[in-house]
Amino acid sequence: MGFEFINKLPTPAEIKELYPLPAQFAAIKAERDEEVKKIISGDSDKFLVLIGPCSADHEDSVLDYATRLVKLQEDAKDKLLIVPRIYTNKPRTTGEGYKGMLHQPDPEKRPSMAEGLRAIRRLHMRVLEETGLSTADEMLYPDNVSYLDDIMSYIAVGARSVENQQHRLVSSGCHVPVGMKNPTSGALSVMLNSVRAAQSGHEFIMRDWEVKTDGNPWAHTILRGAVNKHGQCLPNYHYEDLILLHQLYMERNLKNPACIVDANHSNSNKQFKQQIRIVKEVLHSREHSAELKEFIKGVMIESYIEEGNQKIGEGCYGKSITDPCLGWEDSERLVYEIAEHV
């Protein structure tokens, strides 16, 4: 019984010293941070596209994927801001399945947390340095934000974490927009309470320190669908759902009303091809409501080089080993269609 302390892990400062961010890329990242903030605040009418693999599994294929986004960003730069999903830790509440690069930098080998910390920073760094695109990741472990906070331009808090106090408090100190997903129950009030908490200042414990935050005015909502008590998926991306969430926002007087629609997960029932239809419906809803056009700031899409998914060890390059993803051809076509309709 009890805890066995195996290894003392490197601190964020030690990891950053090992992989320092050069000044020219820090400047690129800061510029993209401001672009994302302006989209969330409404000071920019660009549309945010958070797109990439369900999980970042292999460094080379993830970088290959991110490199392909560069042309899309250049072609659509007047309409879209593309932020690659580099999701390096995955929620696995039952303990089964791939937990992400943080736990297993090589999916086929035993966990190595110290190497995982180095691997996730190295990957985020390579994407920024080789593509000029700053990244997004999920805040699965709040203490780990400090390892990547100088590289990421967007952070998501997942459906199983959004009710957690520490996630809300740490989000209040992040200097980039943080998206709060609705919980798996679908309760919109829980998600909105999380936004309110993140937008407020707090004093709390983080990494053996008492810290103080001023609040994050760019905290906002992400709709990802829900699951009822029978295990059935309940989508929440339809016009009526979006109007309801906008009304609830107005009642609470939260800062910078903003919503991102996650086209996969329970919105698609993990039927990855449905993401295409769902994104198009969201764009259609924006066209029919001036309020929604201002409120819906972007979409989240799970996409990789090869469509679908595979088991660990099958060895198909650029194919998800967690949830199934859109393939590159469909993804490229969808991004151009988004640019045409925003």
Coordinates of all heavy atoms in Angstrom, one line a residue, residues 62-104:
V62 N 3.9 13.2 -36.7 CA 3.1 14.4 -36.2 C 3.7 15.7 -36.8 O 3.0 16.6 -37.3 CB 3.2 14.5 -34.7 CG1 2.7 15.9 -34.2 CG2 2.4 13.4 -34.0
L63 N 5.1 15.7 -36.9 CA 5.7 16.9 -37.6 C 5.4 16.9 -39.0 O 5.1 18.0 -39.6 CB 7.2 16.8 -37.3 CG 8.0 18.1 -37.8 CD1 7.6 19.3 -36.9 CD2 9.5 17.8 -37.8
D64 N 5.3 15.8 -39.7 CA 5.0 15.7 -41.1 C 3.6 16.3 -41.3 O 3.3 17.1 -42.2 CB 5.0 14.2 -41.5 CG 4.6 14.0 -43.0 OD1 4.2 14.9 -43.7 OD2 4.7 12.8 -43.4
Y65 N 2.7 15.9 -40.4 CA 1.3 16.4 -40.5 C 1.2 17.9 -40.3 O 0.6 18.6 -41.1 CB 0.4 15.7 -39.4 CG -1.0 16.3 -39.4 CD1 -2.0 15.8 -40.2 CD2 -1.3 17.4 -38.6 CE1 -3.3 16.3 -40.2 CE2 -2.6 17.9 -38.6 CZ -3.5 17.4 -39.4 OH -4.8 17.9 -39.4
A66 N 1.9 18.4 -39.2 CA 1.9 19.8 -38.9 C 2.5 20.6 -40.1 O 2.0 21.7 -40.4 CB 2.7 20.1 -37.7
T67 N 3.5 20.1 -40.8 CA 4.1 20.7 -41.9 C 3.2 20.9 -43.0 O 3.2 21.9 -43.7 CB 5.4 20.0 -42.4 OG1 6.3 19.9 -41.3 CG2 6.1 20.6 -43.5
R68 N 2.3 20.0 -43.2 CA 1.2 20.0 -44.3 C 0.2 21.2 -44.0 O -0.4 21.7 -44.9 CB 0.5 18.7 -44.4 CG 1.4 17.6 -44.8 CD 0.6 16.3 -44.8 NE 1.5 15.1 -45.0 CZ 1.1 14.0 -45.7 NH1 -0.1 13.9 -46.2 NH2 2.0 13.0 -45.8
L69 N 0.1 21.6 -42.7 CA -0.8 22.6 -42.4 C -0.3 24.0 -42.8 O -1.1 25.0 -43.0 CB -1.1 22.7 -40.9 CG -1.8 21.5 -40.3 CD1 -1.9 21.6 -38.8 CD2 -3.2 21.3 -40.9
V70 N 1.0 24.1 -43.0 CA 1.6 25.4 -43.4 C 1.0 26.0 -44.6 O 0.6 27.2 -44.7 CB 3.1 25.3 -43.5 CG1 3.7 26.7 -43.9 CG2 3.7 24.9 -42.1
K71 N 0.8 25.2 -45.7 CA 0.3 25.7 -46.9 C -1.2 26.1 -46.7 O -1.6 27.2 -47.3 CB 0.4 24.7 -48.0 CG -0.1 25.2 -49.4 CD 0.0 24.2 -50.5 CE -0.3 24.8 -51.9 NZ -1.7 25.3 -51.9
L72 N -1.9 25.4 -46.0 CA -3.3 25.7 -45.7 C -3.4 27.0 -45.0 O -4.3 27.9 -45.3 CB -4.0 24.6 -44.9 CG -4.0 23.2 -45.4 CD1 -4.9 22.3 -44.6 CD2 -4.5 23.2 -46.9
Q73 N -2.5 27.2 -44.0 CA -2.5 28.5 -43.2 C -2.2 29.7 -44.2 O -2.8 30.7 -44.1 CB -1.6 28.4 -42.1 CG -1.4 29.7 -41.3 CD -2.7 30.1 -40.6 OE1 -3.0 29.8 -39.5 NE2 -3.6 30.9 -41.3
E74 N -1.2 29.5 -45.0 CA -0.8 30.5 -45.9 C -2.0 30.9 -46.9 O -2.3 32.0 -47.1 CB 0.4 30.1 -46.7 CG 0.9 31.2 -47.7 CD 1.3 32.5 -47.1 OE1 1.6 32.6 -45.9 OE2 1.2 33.5 -47.8
D75 N -2.6 29.8 -47.4 CA -3.7 30.1 -48.4 C -4.9 30.7 -47.8 O -5.6 31.4 -48.5 CB -4.1 28.7 -49.1 CG -3.0 28.2 -50.0 OD1 -2.1 28.9 -50.4 OD2 -3.1 27.0 -50.3
A76 N -5.2 30.4 -46.5 CA -6.4 30.9 -45.8 C -6.1 32.0 -44.8 O -6.9 32.2 -43.9 CB -7.1 29.7 -45.2
K77 N -4.9 32.6 -44.8 CA -4.5 33.5 -43.7 C -5.4 34.7 -43.5 O -5.4 35.2 -42.4 CB -3.0 34.0 -44.0 CG -2.9 34.8 -45.2 CD -1.4 35.2 -45.5 CE -1.2 36.0 -46.7 NZ 0.2 36.3 -47.0
D78 N -6.1 35.1 -44.5 CA -7.1 36.2 -44.3 C -8.4 35.8 -43.6 O -9.1 36.7 -43.1 CB -7.4 36.9 -45.7 CG -6.2 37.5 -46.3 OD1 -5.2 37.9 -45.5 OD2 -6.1 37.6 -47.5
K79 N -8.6 34.5 -43.6 CA -9.9 34.0 -43.0 C -9.7 33.2 -41.8 O -10.6 33.2 -40.9 CB -10.6 33.2 -44.1 CG -11.0 33.9 -45.4 CD -12.2 34.9 -45.1 CE -12.8 35.4 -46.4 NZ -13.5 34.3 -47.1
L80 N -8.6 32.4 -41.7 CA -8.5 31.4 -40.7 C -7.2 31.6 -39.9 O -6.2 32.1 -40.4 CB -8.5 30.0 -41.3 CG -9.6 29.6 -42.2 CD1 -9.4 28.1 -42.7 CD2 -11.0 29.7 -41.5
L81 N -7.2 31.1 -38.7 CA -6.0 30.9 -37.9 C -6.0 29.4 -37.5 O -6.9 28.9 -36.8 CB -6.0 31.8 -36.6 CG -4.7 31.6 -35.8 CD1 -3.5 32.2 -36.6 CD2 -4.7 32.3 -34.5
I82 N -5.0 28.7 -38.0 CA -4.9 27.3 -37.8 C -3.9 27.0 -36.7 O -2.8 27.5 -36.7 CB -4.4 26.6 -39.1 CG1 -5.5 26.7 -40.2 CG2 -4.2 25.1 -38.8 CD1 -5.0 26.2 -41.6
V83 N -4.3 26.3 -35.7 CA -3.5 25.9 -34.6 C -3.4 24.4 -34.5 O -4.5 23.7 -34.3 CB -4.0 26.4 -33.2 CG1 -3.1 26.0 -32.1 CG2 -4.1 28.0 -33.3
P84 N -2.3 23.8 -34.7 CA -2.2 22.3 -34.7 C -2.4 21.7 -33.3 O -1.8 22.2 -32.3 CB -0.8 22.0 -35.2 CG 0.0 23.3 -35.0 CD -1.0 24.4 -35.1
R85 N -3.2 20.7 -33.2 CA -3.4 19.9 -32.0 C -2.2 19.0 -31.8 O -1.9 18.1 -32.6 CB -4.6 19.0 -32.1 CG -6.0 19.7 -32.0 CD -7.0 18.7 -32.3 NE -6.8 17.4 -31.7 CZ -7.6 16.9 -30.6 NH1 -8.5 17.7 -30.1 NH2 -7.3 15.8 -30.1
I86 N -1.4 19.3 -30.7 CA -0.3 18.4 -30.4 C -0.6 17.9 -29.0 O -0.1 18.4 -28.0 CB 1.1 19.2 -30.4 CG1 1.2 19.9 -31.7 CG2 2.2 18.2 -30.2 CD1 1.4 19.1 -32.9
Y87 N -1.5 16.9 -28.9 CA -2.0 16.4 -27.7 C -1.1 15.3 -27.1 O -1.1 14.2 -27.7 CB -3.5 15.9 -27.9 CG -4.5 17.0 -27.8 CD1 -4.2 18.3 -28.3 CD2 -5.7 16.8 -27.3 CE1 -5.1 19.3 -28.2 CE2 -6.7 17.8 -27.2 CZ -6.4 19.1 -27.6 OH -7.3 20.1 -27.5
T88 N -0.4 15.6 -26.1 CA 0.7 14.7 -25.6 C 0.4 13.9 -24.4 O 1.2 13.1 -23.9 CB 2.0 15.5 -25.4 OG1 1.7 16.6 -24.5 CG2 2.5 16.1 -26.7
N89 N -0.8 14.1 -23.8 CA -1.3 13.3 -22.7 C -2.8 13.1 -22.9 O -3.5 14.0 -23.2 CB -0.9 13.9 -21.3 CG -0.9 15.4 -21.3 OD1 -0.4 15.9 -20.3 ND2 -1.5 16.1 -22.2
K90 N -3.2 11.9 -22.6 CA -4.6 11.5 -22.8 C -5.3 11.0 -21.6 O -4.7 10.3 -20.8 CB -4.7 10.3 -23.9 CG -4.0 10.6 -25.2 CD -4.7 11.8 -25.9 CE -6.1 11.4 -26.3 NZ -6.7 12.6 -27.1
P91 N -6.5 11.4 -21.3 CA -7.2 10.9 -20.1 C -7.6 9.5 -20.3 O -8.3 9.1 -21.2 CB -8.5 11.8 -20.1 CG -8.7 12.2 -21.5 CD -7.3 12.3 -22.2
R92 N -7.1 8.7 -19.3 CA -7.4 7.3 -19.3 C -7.8 6.9 -17.9 O -7.1 6.4 -17.1 CB -6.2 6.4 -19.7 CG -5.8 6.6 -21.2 CD -6.8 6.0 -22.1 NE -6.5 6.2 -23.5 CZ -7.1 7.1 -24.3 NH1 -8.0 7.9 -23.8 NH2 -6.8 7.2 -25.6
T93 N -9.1 7.1 -17.6 CA -9.6 7.0 -16.2 C -9.6 5.6 -15.7 O -9.6 5.3 -14.5 CB -11.0 7.6 -16.1 OG1 -11.9 7.1 -17.1 CG2 -10.9 9.1 -16.3
T94 N -9.7 4.6 -16.7 CA -9.7 3.2 -16.3 C -8.2 2.6 -16.2 O -8.0 1.5 -15.7 CB -10.5 2.3 -17.2 OG1 -9.8 2.4 -18.5 CG2 -11.9 2.8 -17.4
G95 N -7.3 3.4 -16.6 CA -5.9 2.9 -16.6 C -5.5 2.2 -17.9 O -4.3 1.8 -18.0
E96 N -6.4 1.9 -18.8 CA -6.2 1.1 -20.0 C -6.0 2.1 -21.2 O -6.5 3.1 -21.2 CB -7.3 0.2 -20.2 CG -7.6 -0.8 -19.1 CD -8.8 -1.7 -19.3 OE1 -9.5 -1.5 -20.3 OE2 -9.0 -2.6 -18.5
G97 N -5.2 1.6 -22.1 CA -5.0 2.3 -23.4 C -3.8 3.2 -23.3 O -3.2 3.5 -22.3
Y98 N -3.4 3.8 -24.5 CA -2.3 4.7 -24.6 C -2.5 6.0 -23.9 O -3.5 6.7 -24.1 CB -2.0 4.9 -26.1 CG -0.9 5.8 -26.4 CD1 0.4 5.6 -25.9 CD2 -1.1 6.9 -27.2 CE1 1.5 6.4 -26.2 CE2 0.0 7.8 -27.5 CZ 1.3 7.5 -27.0 OH 2.3 8.4 -27.3
K99 N -1.7 6.3 -23.0 CA -1.8 7.5 -22.2 C -1.1 8.8 -22.8 O -1.2 9.8 -22.2 CB -1.3 7.3 -20.7 CG -2.1 6.3 -20.0 CD -1.6 6.1 -18.6 CE -2.4 5.0 -17.8 NZ -1.9 4.8 -16.5
G100 N -0.5 8.6 -23.9 CA 0.1 9.7 -24.6 C 1.6 9.8 -24.4 O 2.2 9.0 -23.7
M101 N 2.2 10.7 -25.2 CA 3.6 10.8 -25.3 C 4.3 11.1 -23.9 O 5.4 10.7 -23.7 CB 4.0 11.8 -26.3 CG 5.5 11.9 -26.6 SD 5.9 13.0 -28.0 CE 5.4 12.1 -29.4
L102 N 3.6 11.9 -23.1 CA 4.1 12.2 -21.8 C 4.5 10.9 -21.0 O 5.5 10.8 -20.4 CB 3.1 13.0 -21.0 CG 3.5 13.3 -19.5 CD1 4.8 14.1 -19.4 CD2 2.4 13.9 -18.8
H103 N 3.6 9.9 -21.1 CA 3.8 8.7 -20.4 C 4.7 7.7 -21.2 O 5.5 7.0 -20.6 CB 2.4 8.0 -20.1 CG 1.6 8.6 -19.0 ND1 1.6 8.2 -17.7 CD2 0.8 9.7 -19.0 CE1 0.8 8.9 -17.0 NE2 0.3 9.8 -17.8
Q104 N 4.4 7.6 -22.4 CA 5.1 6.7 -23.3 C 5.6 7.4 -24.5 O 5.0 7.4 -25.6 CB 4.2 5.5 -23.7 CG 3.8 4.6 -22.6 CD 2.7 3.7 -23.0 OE1 1.5 3.9 -22.8 NE2 3.1 2.6 -23.6

